[in-house]
Amino acid sequence: MHYCGLIVLFLAGYCLAEELLELSCTSDVQCHQFERGRCLNSTCHCTARDSGERVDCRPMEQKMTNIIGGHCPCLQPHAECNKKLDQCTCSSGFLPSEDKRRCVAQMVPLDERCEFHRQCQLSDKFSSCHSSQNHCLCRTNFESHQGRCLAVLESNCVNDTDCGICGASLCLPKLKKCGCAVNYVHNRNMTKCITGSDYGDDCESSTACQASLGAGGQCQDHRCTCRSTHYPRMVANTLPKEEETVDTHQLKRISCEPIVPFGAYCRIDSDCQMHPLMAEDADESLPPSAMECQWGECRCTAHHSVRDNQCVRESGGSTSIPSTLWVGLLVHISLILY
């Protein structure tokens, strides 16, 4: 009985402590005192970090930290304080390291230190972060030449003139093999250089698709499309400065961009928002943005909840469609039209 009485007193004290928390609010700012707090229906609601499910609100621990996402001041290089949230974030052009103790560059050139494949691919689509050396290196069948990854052919050479028959522009000095110029890749047999294939075009290998669509491109059923982890997006086309007059359609191109997952790092809301191909023509069918940036992570917006690690719209009893499924539907539409 004595132990039972202690348990009852402990639980009563815990419930009393919960009741003492001031949860009423008129704006999200008043809920920043709680971990992942947000004002909904005039009450502070808090969510779990991993699942996004509602949990009891707990006061934010005010202590010094060297973790990106922790409280200010921010002592790490390339980190800055979000004064509104009193939270450390990485400066523009940087992102948290895997252990979240440093800010690393979003774009890393060849032969420089890296942690993620994306860092290398933003600099050169045919490079990746080597797992053991932790440096950006060219992929297999590509060779580093003057800071770029160039496609390698099977043909041997001594000088550039030996490569003219292959449609290649140079002899790679280290390998003594013919290499393709920038924006060209080898064909499937690595016997000649070819131009990249655009979204929806016929293809023989994923390499040709990646030349135009980026590292997320692939050749599937002999047509260029995006990998399951990427989606097609219309982006500005980078043109040489010497080209003064170009056709209007050349100002944009299709790129395979990574799908933004729930919980991804962000600085602003746009970091969490995807803009699928054909979205401009399907505005009436496309749901409101499913995610926004909250406390440095992509979280579900109002009227959305997490289901199977996706933000699903809650539509008053009607069928909910995950945001990634909308992207998938637009991908199929765009393939038909292109």
Side-chain angles (χ1 to χ4, degrees):
M1 293 295 293
H2 176 68
Y3 289 109
C4 292
L6 288 176
I7 293 174
V8 170
L9 288 174
F10 174 79
L11 292 175
Y14 177 80
C15 293
L16 180 61
E18 285 290 302
E19 292 174 357
L20 290 176
L21 291 177
E22 179 56 57
L23 298 178
S24 61
C25 60
T26 57
S27 66
D28 288 344
V29 175
Q30 294 172 299
C31 300
H32 289 170
Q33 60 179 309
F34 305 116
E35 294 184 6
R36 293 173 294 283
R38 181 178 180 185
C39 187
L40 293 174
N41 299 324
S42 301
T43 304
C44 288
H45 291 244
C46 300
T47 55
R49 177 178 293 276
D50 297 327
S51 65
E53 296 179 355
R54 184 178 175 182
V55 296
D56 291 334
C57 288
R58 296 188 302 173
M60 188 77 70
E61 294 184 17
Q62 299 293 335
K63 60 183 182 180
M64 293 291 291
T65 178
N66 61 345
I67 300 293
I68 300 300
H71 292 287
C72 304
C74 313
L75 306 179
Q76 304 92 330
H78 308 297
E80 61 186 21
C81 178
N82 183 327
K83 295 182 179 180
K84 181 179 178 181
L85 301 177
D86 187 34
Q87 183 183 39
C88 292
T89 62
C90 291
S91 305
S92 179
F94 293 84
L95 73 163
S97 59
E98 193 168 3
D99 60 7
K100 298 188 183 301
R101 295 184 181 275
R102 295 170 290 111
C103 289
V104 298
Q106 284 184 332
M107 182 184 298
V108 177
L110 284 177
D111 301 320
E112 295 293 331
R113 189 169 182 81
C114 59
E115 291 193 20
F116 311 105
H117 289 309
R118 181 70 174 167
Q119 290 176 284
C120 307
Q121 293 166 353
L122 286 175
S123 180
D124 193 301
K125 65 191 76 173
F126 295 115
S127 66
S128 61
C129 188
H130 197 279
S131 57
S132 61
Q133 299 184 36
N134 295 116
H135 280 70
C136 290
L137 302 176
C138 294
R139 288 168 25 187
T140 304
N141 297 326
F142 285 82
E143 175 71 11
S144 176
H145 180 74
Q146 297 180 352
R148 299 296 299 269
C149 292
L150 301 185
V152 179
L153 300 180
E154 291 291 347
S155 304
N156 297 321
C157 60
V158 177
N159 51 55
D160 292 349
T161 57
D162 296 332
C163 301
I165 189 174
C166 306
S169 63
L170 75 162
C171 180
L172 298 171
K174 293 182 181 179
L175 298 179
K176 293 299 180 182
K177 286 184 175 292
C178 293
C180 299
V182 176
N183 297 326
Y184 286 78
V185 293
H186 42 59
N187 62 353
R188 188 166 188 171
N189 297 325
M190 297 177 62
T191 56
K192 65 178 182 178
C193 297
I194 59 175
T195 57
S197 300
D198 293 329
Y199 188 81
D201 285 354
D202 294 337
C203 56
E204 292 184 356
S205 67
S206 292
T207 304
C209 303
Q210 291 163 357
S212 298
L213 303 178
Q218 69 171 355
C219 184
Q220 185 176 34
D221 299 327
H222 301 289
R223 295 189 71 182
C224 283
T225 183
C226 297
R227 300 181 185 276
S228 59
T229 54
H230 291 67
Y231 72 97
R233 178 177 180 178
M234 191 70 73
V235 298
N237 195 13
T238 303
L239 296 171
K241 293 182 179 179
E242 58 270 17
E243 294 186 17
E244 297 181 357
T245 57
V246 295
D247 294 336
T248 304
H249 74 275
Q250 291 180 322
L251 297 177
K252 293 184 178 182
R253 64 181 179 84
I254 299 173
S255 174
C256 290
E257 299 295 315
I259 292 176
V260 182
F262 172 80
Y265 169 76
C266 59
R267 297 179 72 251
I268 54 179
D269 287 343
S270 60
D271 294 338
C272 304
Q273 297 165 359
M274 294 181 287
H275 304 276
L277 188 65
M278 307 304 297
E280 295 181 358
D281 298 330
D283 282 340
E284 296 181 358
S285 301
L286 197 64
S289 179
M291 292 192 294
E292 62 185 358
C293 190
Q294 300 178 22
W295 295 95
E297 295 180 349
C298 291
R299 296 286 167 179
C300 297
T301 57
H303 309 298
H304 289 78
S305 59
V306 180
R307 186 179 303 169
D308 298 329
N309 206 34
Q310 298 178 14
C311 289
V312 178
R313 181 168 177 79
E314 300 169 346
S315 51
S318 60
T319 304
S320 299
I321 301 179
S323 57
T324 52
L325 181 56
W326 283 102
V327 174
L329 291 173
L330 290 174
V331 169
H332 289 298
I333 294 173
S334 60
L335 272 174
I336 294 173
L337 296 179
Y338 278 83

